[in-house]
Amino acid sequence: MKDDAFAALDVRNVSHSFGTRKVLDDVSFTIAAGDFTVLLGLNGAGKTTLFALVTGLYHSRDGSISVYGADLRKKYLKALAQIGAVFQQSTLDLDLTVEQNMFYHAALHGMAKSVAAPRITAELERIGLAERRRDRARQLSGGQRRRVELARALIHNPSLLLLDEPTVGLDIESRQFLLDHVRKLCAERGMAVLWATHLIDEADENSKVVVLHKGKVLAAGPAASVIRASGESSLRGAFDQLVGSGPAGKGKP
Amino acid sequence: MRAVQYLRAFLGILHREALRWLNQRSRFVSALVRPLVWLGIFAAGFRFTLGMSIIEPYDTYIPYEVYIAPGLVAMIQLFNGMQSSLSMVYDREMGSMKTLMISPFPRWFLLLSKLMAGVAVSIVQVYMFLAIALFWDVSPPPLGYLEMLPAMILAGLMLGALGLVLSSFIKQLENFAGVMNFVIFPMFFASSALNPLWRVKESSLWLYRIYSVNPFTHAVELIRFSMYGKFNAEAAAVVAAFFIIFMALAVWGYDPGRGLIAKRGGPPE
């Protein structure tokens, strides 16, 4: 399924607008297998629109997006099969149990119950929620729901994992848990990850970053080289300088 | 994706729809009570004022309750179609529709599966209604219960597809009340569900024309005839044609490249 000759995610010259409002303007970047890439941008930078395009919710007006060589327009289904996604807004069905939500997802990826069941157990154990599997999603805390969503996105063994502001509204502990968990997936499974956030400290020096501001990519590459190119000493400094907004994301942690 | 995977995806969607239906007791109860109110109160009041002559497919004089029963069956399906539409809009607002939309199956297949799952739920409701309607002497021939099944599948698909189209057009949940006023009520009242067409024709030719072009009229007649072991080819053709039109519109509406989903305001950021 995975082809090393291709980038895990290749976004090329993508522009998109809603009516006259241009949300993405000539966005290009690539992610390789095993990369943990942080998509940095303030609220309104176009991250969510980019996610909608990459997950094929709708197509971009201009440019192309491909996942391991499968173009989202031409080989839509092949591309989607390799993607696992956690959206900013929760997509769990709160009236169903954790397990029912997971099996629903597995069915939507054409998995047999006998194949899905051990996968679901494994992923739930990994996030430490195996004993909550028969509880309704509504009964879980925000942090737990997020973890379930992450576990669910992994059932079908995607090779590209997309997370849109996954830590919004979570306490420090849950946030750290998610970050560590995803970084580990990256290292262990060689999964490519695109992690969108406005929280700069979620990217460390070893991450790759894509700085998105007002629909444009201002910088992309290893965090270290982005910092170096800016002449600043930290990623926060580099980000501030790039977006020219003074202290990054005023009022944001 | 192989055929067996398509089947699994469909069964997954059907299972979720069934779970949701069982979870929502109020929806379940109101779906059952609504037609019974019509049957037990409305029809009982009118049976003395409305005389029924012998019309196809009936071969004897019938009480009004028996006349409106097929209309109420179709009404259950109409409400169900709109209910699915409502839940699609709700799912979209709540985000859970994304789970469906990022599944690696063609959109038309996902929409059709969702549609068929809704139809299956509506048919279970219909049979429950018909079981209770026996108390009002609504008792079609035993074989009729089976013969009406394909008619209900076709009618349910058409009404459900209409719901899908509406759900792709409706921007927000609040607009749903408009659907009630402008779709459900006119469709139901301007149909042969409550009044036989010949009677409408006697009172107003214009009204008769409106009744005749209403796809709901044809859904009702298709079901009415099938309940008594007869096949109304014209009604079947009209219902099938409307199903194809509505389905095509729904697929277009949900298409990631062309549809209304892509053109609409985009995510709030």
Side-chain angles (χ1 to χ4, degrees):
Chain A
M1 201 145 109
K2 208 154 71 183
D3 191 336
D4 290 336
F6 293 105
L9 176 65
D10 188 359
V11 177
R12 205 169 292 176
N13 308 112
V14 166
S15 296
H16 197 75
S17 39
F18 294 112
T20 53
R21 187 162 61 96
K22 196 155 200 176
V23 189
L24 292 174
D25 188 1
D26 200 24
V27 169
S28 298
F29 64 91
T30 58
I31 298 180
D35 270 358
F36 182 88
T37 302
V38 179
L39 177 67
L40 271 179
L42 303 175
N43 291 333
K47 301 191 292 292
T48 298
T49 301
L50 185 61
F51 264 77
L53 296 176
V54 174
T55 49
L57 288 179
Y58 38 84
H59 292 327
S60 62
R61 291 293 149 79
D62 300 298
S64 68
I65 298 173
S66 51
V67 178
Y68 290 99
D71 187 280
L72 262 176
R73 271 175 213 276
K74 294 172 207 138
K75 293 185 175 168
Y76 178 69
L77 304 179
K78 194 179 171 209
L80 281 187
Q82 306 186 66
I83 293 178
V86 177
F87 292 96
Q88 187 173 352
Q89 200 183 13
S90 169
T91 61
L92 290 177
D93 190 326
L94 298 180
D95 295 320
L96 301 188
T97 66
V98 168
E99 199 174 56
Q100 286 167 345
N101 268 295
M102 308 276 276
F103 274 111
Y104 177 55
H105 175 94
L108 286 178
H109 282 80
M111 295 173 77
K113 266 204 157 166
S114 56
V115 178
R119 294 279 313 119
I120 289 172
T121 306
E123 292 301 339
L124 281 176
E125 273 167 7
R126 200 192 298 270
I127 57 162
L129 286 174
E131 77 285 1
R132 305 292 304 269
R133 61 191 298 161
R134 288 186 216 290
D135 289 348
R136 284 185 192 224
R138 196 180 294 286
Q139 292 166 304
L140 303 182
S141 71
Q144 290 168 332
R145 284 183 202 172
R146 270 287 120 132
R147 282 194 260 165
V148 170
E149 283 194 278
L150 176 58
R152 184 181 60 170
L154 297 171
I155 300 173
H156 61 287
N157 248 326
S159 28
L160 172 63
L161 181 63
L162 306 164
L163 304 104
D164 187 9
E165 301 263 10
T167 58
V168 159
L170 300 189
D171 59 32
I172 295 172
E173 200 185 330
S174 304
R175 207 179 125 191
Q176 201 53 49
F177 179 91
L178 273 189
L179 255 174
D180 293 345
H181 189 62
V182 172
R183 279 182 192 278
K184 211 156 52 181
L185 287 170
C186 231
E188 286 172 5
R189 300 191 197 176
M191 196 179 277
V193 174
L194 182 64
W195 177 291
T197 183
H198 65 269
L199 302 169
I200 291 163
D201 57 357
E202 288 182 356
D204 64 16
E205 309 265 311
N206 304 319
S207 314
K208 295 201 171 158
V209 295
V210 175
V211 178
L212 188 68
H213 187 62
K214 292 184 178 162
K216 287 188 183 182
V217 173
L218 300 185
S225 40
V226 171
I227 297 170
R228 208 176 319 121
S230 70
E232 298 278 342
S233 58
S234 67
L235 189 58
R236 182 174 292 271
F239 182 81
D240 288 348
Q241 197 203 70
L242 282 165
V243 307
S245 70
K250 269 176 200 162
K252 309 255 160 53
Chain B
M1 289 283 171
R2 289 171 293 128
V4 61
Q5 292 178 300
Y6 277 83
L7 180 66
R8 285 178 196 141
F10 169 67
L11 292 177
I13 292 170
L14 182 65
H15 187 227
R16 173 175 183 260
E17 208 66 20
L19 285 173
R20 284 179 66 90
W21 183 57
L22 292 173
N23 281 338
Q24 298 174 344
R25 296 246 166 74
S26 60
R27 178 180 159 192
F28 180 82
V29 171
S30 70
L32 211 54
V33 167
R34 198 180 299 115
L36 289 176
V37 166
W38 280 92
L39 195 62
I41 299 174
F42 180 83
F46 271 76
R47 69 182 303 178
F48 303 109
T49 54
L50 294 170
M52 284 287 154
S53 65
I54 300 175
I55 50 163
E56 263 221 289
Y58 308 106
D59 42 18
T60 174
Y61 286 101
I62 47 158
Y64 189 54
E65 284 94 334
V66 172
Y67 178 79
I68 70 166
L72 297 179
V73 167
M75 183 181 82
I76 293 173
Q77 295 202 291
L78 174 66
F79 266 91
N80 214 283
M82 296 308 125
Q83 188 82 43
S84 318
S85 159
L86 174 71
S87 76
M88 289 288 270
V89 178
Y90 179 81
D91 279 2
R92 202 170 61 219
E93 288 210 339
M94 293 297 123
S96 54
M97 185 172 342
K98 286 183 187 142
T99 316
L100 185 69
M101 289 304 172
I102 62 165
S103 148
F105 289 95
R107 287 264 166 106
W108 66 262
F109 169 76
L110 296 171
L111 290 173
L112 193 63
S113 297
K114 184 105 181 144
L115 190 57
M116 295 205 292
V119 172
V121 165
S122 79
I123 288 175
V124 175
Q125 282 176 1
V126 165
Y127 281 122
M128 287 167 57
F129 162 72
L130 287 176
I132 303 174
L134 281 170
F135 291 106
W136 279 271
D137 289 330
V138 176
S139 48
L143 206 56
Y145 288 102
L146 199 62
E147 284 166 334
M148 69 188 289
L149 188 60
M152 285 196 295
I153 292 174
L154 190 58
L157 284 173
M158 189 265 280
L159 296 169
L162 173 63
L164 280 181
V165 175
L166 292 172
S167 75
S168 75
F169 281 92
I170 299 170
K171 273 193 184 172
Q172 284 158 342
L173 217 49
E174 296 89 78
N175 301 348
F176 201 76
V179 173
M180 291 289 285
N181 288 327
F182 292 106
V183 178
I184 295 187
F185 293 140
M187 267 190 116
F188 181 62
F189 289 115
S191 78
S192 59
L194 302 178
N195 300 300
L197 284 178
W198 64 265
R199 194 196 293 276
V200 179
K201 198 173 183 179
E202 270 181 1
S203 62
S204 156
L205 198 60
W206 265 109
L207 216 50
Y208 169 75
R209 288 194 184 120
I210 293 173
Y211 274 52
S212 309
V213 296
N214 181 355
F216 190 71
T217 294
H218 298 277
V220 172
E221 293 311 308
L222 181 64
I223 294 168
R224 187 192 310 285
F225 275 69
S226 68
M227 260 172 114
Y228 293 87
K230 292 178 182 170
F231 179 64
N232 187 331
E234 185 200 342
V238 173
V239 173
F242 271 102
F243 165 58
I244 290 166
I245 294 169
F246 291 151
M247 195 63 206
L249 278 171
V251 171
W252 180 81
Y254 279 96
D255 183 283
R258 294 180 297 258
L260 297 147
I261 303 280
K263 295 201 176 98
R264 187 167 307 138
E269 290 197 58

